[in-house]
């Protein structure tokens, strides 16, 4: 028996065709942006024209945004076309691995490692981090439940953000902490691990360090142990306590 009812098969196929066309158009735009970025990089390296590093950076950011739009279109297409629940669950597991999001729970402290920086609070497109983060939390909690392991829930908690910047890139990339878009990240965290993200229950702490590559490490720590924990961790490198 066909999975698409005969009465609406034509409409469904037209919709899928339109989605594929939109995806192909987005992919073409990404390819064009990357080609222009390569040209800027070549001109920058040869110093043939007056191009600043920031111009190249802006072009890469635009290419990345276009790529994320393409990714979102493909995610929706996968969701609509993948009727086998097991295949879709495997897909979500693969997404977590692809994005490199890691969680570790030990001694009542939850560590979340992201291979990217938290976006600027005025950024137009931020789903590239929040959607994979939600999927990673969901997948981790399911695994914890299946293995009869603890899924922490914090009532009085400090959420500690370590913003780690690539030390080989220009220093002006480092942003003020109040320019970080922490709210959406906290919203996702609260959905899984916090009693409430109200200021009465949850405090936040931010620290910036220079390391080998860009990434963000977030800790959820019981409020009463945070001061001693922070003192201890300041004497270590981030790599030593992931």
């Amino acid at each position: 028996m066909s999975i698409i009812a005969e009465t609406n098969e034509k409409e469904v196929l037209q919709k899928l065709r339109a989605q594929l066309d939109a995806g192909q158009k987005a992919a073409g735009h990404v390819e064009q942006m990357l080609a222009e970025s390569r040209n800027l990089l070549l001109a920058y390296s040869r110093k043939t024209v007056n191009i600043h590093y920031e111009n190249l950076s802006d072009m890469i950011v635009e290419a990345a945004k276009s790529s994320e739009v393409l990714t979102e279109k493909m995610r929706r297409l996968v969701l609509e076309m993948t009727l086998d629940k097991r295949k879709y669950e495997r897909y979500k597991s693969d997404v977590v691995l692809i994005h490199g999001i890691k969680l570790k729970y030990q001694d009542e402290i939850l560590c979340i490692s992201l291979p990217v920086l938290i976006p600027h609070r005025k950024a137009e497109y931020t789903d590239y981090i929040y959607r994979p983060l939600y999927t990673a939390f969901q997948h981790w909690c399911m695994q914890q439940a299946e293995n009869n392991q603890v899924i922490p829930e914090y009532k009085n908690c400090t959420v500690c953000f370590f913003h780690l910047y690539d030390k080989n890139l220009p220093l002006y990339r480092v942003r003020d902490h109040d320019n970080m878009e922490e709210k959406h990240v906290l919203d996702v965290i609260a959905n899984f691990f916090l009693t409430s993200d109200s200021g009465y229950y949850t405090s936040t702490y931010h620290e910036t360090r220079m390391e080998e590559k860009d990434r963000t490490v977030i800790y959820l720590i019981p409020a009463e142990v945070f001061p001693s924990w922070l003192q201890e961790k300041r004497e270590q490198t981030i790599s030593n306590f992931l």
Side-chain angles (χ1 to χ4, degrees):
M1 180 178 178
S2 173
I3 62 172
I4 304 176
E6 294 181 2
T7 55
N8 66 347
E9 180 178 0
K10 185 176 181 180
E11 292 181 2
V12 171
L13 291 177
Q14 286 178 341
K15 179 181 179 181
L16 294 177
R17 188 178 298 113
Q19 287 177 296
L20 288 171
D21 288 344
Q24 187 172 7
K25 182 178 179 180
H29 184 63
V30 172
E31 184 177 7
Q32 178 183 352
M33 297 289 286
L34 288 176
E36 293 180 13
S37 298
R38 287 181 63 86
N39 290 336
L40 276 179
L41 177 62
L42 182 62
Y44 177 79
S45 62
R46 291 180 174 177
K47 305 297 183 183
T48 55
V49 293
N50 185 22
I51 295 177
H52 297 287
Y53 180 88
E54 189 171 357
N55 300 133
L56 175 60
S57 176
D58 289 344
M59 181 64 74
I60 295 295
V61 168
E62 289 303 314
K65 288 181 180 178
S66 300
S67 177
E68 295 298 336
V69 171
L70 172 60
T71 299
E72 180 60 23
K73 290 181 182 295
M74 295 307 299
R75 283 180 184 152
R76 292 181 181 177
L77 194 57
V78 168
L79 177 61
E80 292 184 17
M81 294 193 66
T82 308
L83 301 182
D84 187 328
K85 185 176 180 180
R86 293 170 299 178
K87 287 185 178 180
Y88 188 66
E89 290 301 323
R90 285 198 296 270
Y91 163 75
K92 291 198 295 183
S93 299
D94 290 342
V95 167
V96 174
L97 294 175
I98 290 170
H99 284 274
I101 299 171
K102 299 178 182 179
L103 285 83
K104 180 180 179 181
Y105 181 66
Q106 186 176 358
D107 299 331
E108 299 186 324
I109 295 174
L110 180 64
C111 173
I112 305 162
S113 176
L114 309 175
V116 293
L117 294 168
I118 299 297
H120 192 283
R121 61 184 176 86
K122 294 183 179 180
E124 296 178 1
Y125 187 83
T126 54
D127 280 359
Y128 74 91
I129 185 171
Y130 308 128
R131 289 182 181 272
L133 193 60
Y134 186 96
T135 300
F137 289 172
Q138 186 180 55
H139 180 67
W140 186 83
C141 289
M142 289 175 59
Q143 285 189 323
Q144 291 290 100
E146 290 173 359
N147 295 327
N148 294 318
Q149 295 180 342
V150 175
I151 300 175
E153 181 178 357
Y154 297 89
K155 182 176 181 180
N156 295 303
C157 173
T158 300
V159 181
C160 182
F161 292 83
F162 280 88
H163 308 282
L164 311 179
Y165 288 83
D166 188 332
K167 62 185 180 183
N168 296 310
L169 295 179
L171 190 60
Y172 68 73
R173 299 173 62 246
V174 178
R175 301 192 301 269
D176 295 341
H177 293 154
D178 60 359
N179 285 330
M180 303 290 185
E181 181 53 276
E182 74 169 39
K183 180 184 183 303
H184 291 163
V185 175
L186 277 178
D187 286 344
V188 181
I189 291 174
N191 282 335
F192 290 89
F193 305 117
L194 303 181
T195 300
S196 170
D197 60 357
S198 162
Y200 182 79
Y201 296 101
T202 302
S203 300
T204 59
Y205 171 84
H206 293 261
E207 185 169 325
T208 291
R209 297 190 184 186
M210 308 305 293
E211 282 220 349
E212 296 299 324
K213 57 184 179 181
D214 289 349
R215 56 196 178 115
T216 304
V217 182
I218 305 170
Y219 291 90
L220 276 61
I221 308 163
E224 65 272 13
V225 303
F226 172 69
S228 59
W229 177 90
L230 182 61
Q231 181 61 37
E232 177 185 351
K233 300 316 175 190
R234 278 181 169 169
E235 299 173 0
Q236 302 177 11
T237 65
I238 293 291
S239 300
N240 287 338
F241 59 94
L242 286 181

